[in-house]
Amino acid sequence: MSLALWTFWTYSFFGYLLERGYAAAAHGAQQARKGFLLLPMCPVYGLGALAVLALPAALTDGFWRSALWGGLAATAVEYAVHLAYDRLLGVRFWDYSHIRGNLRGRICLPFSLAWGLLTAAGLPPVQAVLAPALAAVPPPVTYAALLVFTADAVTSLRLLRQARDPAVLSLRGLLAA
């Protein structure tokens, strides 16, 4: 259980860094966050990583099989998370409707292909280094991190339900709230 939590948190943080890097490289305006947390985490990445890591070994044996099934798993998670954000919180953190090959603005072919390549090329070597380190985290540290994460999630959910705008989770949005 502890390893799954730390895996989720770590990949959620890596996803946050990836989002910031992508926004900087694309010279995009400051994008809305991809997750409901105030902490620098995008839970869709953590959930996607867990889904890919849970795939049977037979589906991830080899680069192209891993790219196909990893990309499909990550894309399914992205669709489900977007749907949950939209239906349960009334907010949209991302919208791919302007990109060709999208499905209701929730997922799109270019990013699905990127998730596939990222899971096949990046996940195995990163996970090989991370898993032993994350498994060694002492339980008291895990409990403390879980308390912080839970407080953050509850606060973020309240803010989003009231504002119905992901911008409320930015520093500027918090100051205005």
Side-chain angles (χ1 to χ4, degrees), residues 20-100:
R20 300 287 61 89
Y22 178 78
H27 304 292
Q30 194 65 0
Q31 298 176 338
R33 299 171 59 99
K34 300 289 185 205
F36 71 86
L37 301 172
L38 293 167
L39 291 170
M41 299 168 78
C42 295
V44 66
Y45 289 90
L47 293 171
L50 289 175
V52 172
L53 292 169
L55 289 172
L59 295 182
T60 59
D61 184 27
F63 182 86
W64 294 111
R65 288 174 65 88
S66 183
L68 172 67
W69 292 105
L72 288 172
T75 298
V77 167
E78 184 177 29
Y79 189 91
V81 168
H82 188 286
L83 186 65
Y85 285 160
D86 194 16
R87 299 263 169 92
L88 299 176
L89 300 175
V91 296
R92 297 191 103 184
F93 285 96
W94 64 90
D95 184 0
Y96 297 136
S97 60
H98 64 284
I99 298 175
R100 288 180 52 124

